[in-house]
Amino acid sequence: MSEAQFLTDVLILLLAAVVVVGVFSFARLDPLLGYIVAGVVIGPHGLGLIAEVGETRALAELGIVFLMFMIGMELSFARLKAMRHLVFGLGLAQVAISAVAIGGIALWMGGTADAALVIGVALALSSTALGLQLVIQRNEQATQLGRTALSILLFQDLVVVPLLVLVPLLGDEVGTLLGKIGMASFKAGVALLIIVVLGRLLLKRLFHWIARSGGTELVTATALLVILGTAAFTQLAGLSLTLGAFLAGLLIAETEYRHQVAADINPFRGLLLGLFFMTVGMSIDLGFLVYEVRLILISVAALMVIKGVILYGLGRLFGVAGPVAIRAAFLLAQGGEFAFILFGMAQFHGVIDNATVQVLLAMVAVSMALTPASAAAGRALAGLMVNRRVADTSVLEHEAERLDGHVVIAGFGRVGQTVGRMLAAQGIPYIALDLSPQRVRDGRLGGLPVFYGDSSRPNLLRAAGVERALAAVVTLDKPEASQRAVAVLRRSNPGLLIYARAHDAAAMDRLDRAGASVVVPETLEASLQLGGQVLRCTGMTEADIDRLFATFREEHYGRLADVIPAKGNAGEEPPDR
């Protein structure tokens, strides 16, 4: 290809991306699908503006390199350890059972063992981009739904790594399938071992030296060198570029430069990944798909039903609440973006024939396009289940009876939800009560332990296990309701630590008399934070600002010292609860 032709193709790609993806974004559709449609339009099977897909494929593959690098950055060893039960329990079971079911169907329909293996595992994967985007849009990352979806997607991302090594080996006719899987696992294990040893010994020192020697541009250049250099090394070792990029991500994730590197690399990833999905679209034959439209639609329905049933059943088996399991099933029943990569590799290495790949690619694309509607249907179905249980106090009593040393949150508005997210992030159990049916419904749909009820009713507090609770947090908007809740909480458990929210000093005094252990006036805290920002711009040190905050707070939070013992009193008995 001449330089002029290459430049023309690049301009066509950029123009198509701007126009088509812009339309998709305006219509609130996923931009990823916009890239695929743009590729279909300009590709050899569409308008034919770009005749040769192979010339742009090498550049487009860099998008996958950077995507795998970012996944490696996110999958730090510490994060995996914290979520290991769901990731390696629920995630592993979902991939394994889905792959066996789908691969078994592919084998039954006449496929080879190698093809069935690739098809089964590739279609068992869901779309990380779509799944997490829909969770983030509803701010449900900290809910049971968010944790469940993230755990499944994290394990699926891990599965991609050995698959990228395995698919080229399947195209090699020498050796048995079991032997090829063993060789792929061995190579991946050796690569991981090398990366852990060399990365922890060398990479942090390298970035320290680079940061002292130059500016952020040099750090970015070093990150690019590490990504592409590691990818090239693994390719020379007979593995894949993408495996090297993933390992580079794990390396940099262990350094304090991960956030800077992620911010610098993200624009490269987004642009090149979009280019990759456009090349996927250019490889789709529209005429063939129209001819096979019935087969494709039936296959998509079968795929989403099979994965949905498996996801729901395993979710319930691993202790996920019923409404959450329903939502997760509908959210993750689609195919994923990595299926495009795996099927493309399988076709290139002769594992799957071209006609089958065309059908599979169309299945994945259609299932992804249906994901927003599928997720909405799952939410509606889960809502029907929740509506029947919102006012059922027996459900509250059943859930609270296994708790001891938990926190009771009275009021689950913005403040209560923030407190709940903070507690959940530290693994501290809590029970929340609120009088808004819609708020309770939304919380239950996300798997949060929120129940309908008046927190000033003694029988409801007993059902919430207040006599066994470590503390209570009162975040109600109405001052009178807050006072009643504090008073009833104090009578129900004289030794309970009660933290209350007050609008002003007058409300603070009333809550203090009602029995609150600590009262936080919103106006004071907002004023302190705003004043602190102003003082920072004057050059005042953080230590001086902290001392000033302590002085102001001491005047209002005098009882805090009585509630929380000073360090060194470990031998004292805790308050009687």
Side-chain angles (χ1 to χ4, degrees):
M1 178 185 292
S2 66
E3 291 183 5
Q5 184 61 50
F6 180 76
L7 179 59
T8 301
D9 286 354
V10 170
L11 290 175
I12 292 171
L13 288 167
L14 291 175
L15 179 62
V18 170
V19 174
V20 179
V21 177
V23 171
F24 270 65
S25 298
F26 180 78
R28 296 185 179 181
L29 299 174
D30 192 86
L32 185 150
L33 297 176
Y35 284 116
I36 297 174
V37 171
V40 172
V41 171
I42 66 176
H45 304 293
L47 298 178
L49 299 178
I50 295 180
E52 293 294 333
V53 180
E55 299 294 340
T56 59
R57 191 180 299 277
L59 181 61
E61 285 180 355
L62 289 177
I64 305 303
V65 168
F66 284 110
L67 175 62
M68 290 301 294
F69 168 75
M70 296 299 288
I71 290 174
M73 288 268 288
E74 295 170 0
L75 294 180
S76 65
F77 294 111
R79 189 176 186 186
L80 284 175
K81 183 178 179 181
M83 302 176 64
R84 61 187 180 276
H85 298 298
L86 280 177
V87 173
F88 297 104
L90 177 58
L92 171 61
Q94 183 273 322
V95 171
I97 297 176
S98 298
V100 169
I102 298 169
I105 293 173
L107 194 63
W108 174 71
M109 294 180 66
T112 65
D114 289 356
L117 174 63
V118 175
I119 292 171
V121 180
L123 292 182
L125 306 180
S126 306
S127 173
T128 299
L130 281 170
L132 292 185
Q133 178 181 335
L134 291 171
V135 168
I136 292 170
Q137 281 177 354
R138 301 193 62 87
N139 196 28
E140 295 178 318
Q141 301 95 306
T143 66
Q144 189 181 37
L145 173 67
R147 292 191 298 272
T148 301
L150 179 60
S151 298
I152 293 172
L153 292 170
L154 283 178
F155 186 82
Q156 291 180 359
D157 289 339
L158 284 176
V159 169
V160 171
V161 178
L163 280 176
L164 292 172
V165 180
L166 176 62
V167 171
L169 295 177
L170 292 176
D172 185 358
E173 297 182 359
V174 179
T176 63
L177 176 60
L178 186 60
K180 293 172 184 177
I181 294 175
M183 179 58 68
S185 302
F186 174 75
K187 287 186 175 182
V190 170
L192 284 169
L193 181 62
I194 292 174
I195 231 59
V196 169
V197 174
L198 293 183
R200 294 188 173 180
L201 289 177
L202 302 177
L203 195 64
K204 188 175 292 188
R205 293 186 178 91
L206 173 63
F207 271 99
H208 279 316
W209 180 77
I210 292 295
R212 288 197 303 268
S213 302
T216 56
E217 295 84 359
L218 194 56
V219 172
T220 303
T222 304
L224 289 171
L225 176 63
V226 171
I227 298 168
L228 298 178
T230 308
F233 175 77
T234 53
Q235 187 180 49
L236 289 174
L239 303 176
S240 66
L241 285 168
T242 45
L243 175 61
F246 174 80
L247 298 175
L250 285 179
L251 280 172
I252 296 180
E254 298 297 310
T255 73
E256 58 268 39
Y257 298 93
R258 57 177 300 180
H259 299 294
Q260 176 65 40
V261 171
D264 292 338
I265 296 301
N266 199 51
F268 296 99
R269 179 196 66 84
L271 180 61
L272 293 172
L273 189 60
L275 180 57
F276 171 81
F277 286 114
M278 290 180 74
T279 62
V280 170
M282 285 188 281
S283 65
I284 296 177
D285 188 341
L286 285 177
F288 176 80
L289 298 186
V290 171
Y291 181 74
E292 297 287 357
V293 63
R294 182 179 178 184
L295 171 63
I296 292 168
L297 292 180
I298 292 174
S299 300
V300 168
L303 171 68
M304 298 186 75
V305 168
I306 291 170
K307 289 183 68 175
V309 170
I310 291 171
L311 281 162
Y312 176 77
L314 288 175
R316 297 295 290 141
L317 184 64
F318 279 83
V320 178
V324 179
I326 290 175
R327 291 189 63 194
F330 278 79
L331 179 67
L332 302 178
Q334 80 288 112
E337 50 268 10
F338 279 113
F340 292 120
I341 306 167
L342 295 169
F343 290 144
M345 292 178 64
Q347 180 184 2
F348 178 79
H349 291 283
V351 179
I352 305 177
D353 63 85
N354 179 65
T356 303
V357 167
Q358 291 296 323
V359 174
L360 292 170
L361 291 177
M363 284 176 57
V364 174
V366 172
S367 69
M368 290 175 68
L370 293 174
T371 298
S374 175
R379 182 176 174 81
L381 185 59
L384 295 176
M385 178 184 296
V386 168
N387 287 339
R388 296 196 301 267
R389 305 175 70 181
V390 162
D392 190 352
T393 57
S394 65
V395 178
L396 166 62
E397 190 170 2
H398 174 72
E399 188 159 334
E401 66 183 6
R402 58 186 174 81
L403 299 179
D404 188 14
H406 57 291
V407 176
V408 176
I409 301 177
F412 207 61
R414 286 175 294 179
V415 176
Q417 291 173 33
T418 301
V419 173
R421 283 196 294 269
M422 294 172 67
L423 292 171
Q426 299 302 316
I428 300 172
Y430 69 91
I431 292 287
L433 303 173
D434 198 279
L435 282 172
S436 167
Q438 184 62 44
R439 197 176 289 155
V440 173
R441 179 179 180 275
D442 290 343
R444 297 298 294 176
L445 283 175
L448 299 177
V450 54
F451 298 87
Y452 180 83
D454 184 351
S455 51
S456 64
R457 288 175 51 193
N459 64 324
L460 198 66
L461 292 176
R462 284 196 298 272
V466 69
E467 72 281 356
R468 303 185 305 277
L470 171 68
V473 182
V474 180
T475 69
L476 301 171
D477 283 326
K478 297 180 179 180
E480 297 81 5
S482 295
Q483 284 180 249
R484 289 197 302 271
V486 169
V488 174
L489 283 165
R490 178 57 65 212
R491 289 196 298 271
S492 300
N493 187 344
L496 185 68
L497 301 177
I498 304 174
Y499 300 84
R501 158 200 182 192
H503 290 291
D504 49 37
M508 177 182 175
D509 185 59
R510 288 193 293 270
L511 289 168
D512 186 71
R513 292 199 302 270
S517 306
V518 176
V519 183
V520 178
E522 294 177 340
T523 51
L524 174 64
E525 285 301 322
S527 300
L528 287 177
Q529 295 302 320
L530 182 60
Q533 295 296 331
V534 175
L535 292 172
R536 287 184 183 91
C537 78
T538 67
M540 191 171 181
T541 66
E542 291 292 333
D544 289 337
I545 293 174
D546 289 342
R547 280 193 291 271
L548 183 62
F549 280 7
T551 300
F552 274 87
R553 286 179 175 132
E554 188 176 1
E555 298 176 3
H556 296 276
Y557 303 162
R559 295 188 61 185
L560 187 61
D562 298 328
V563 174
I564 303 176
K567 293 181 179 179
N569 296 341
E572 296 181 4
E573 290 293 325
D576 183 17
R577 294 194 287 109

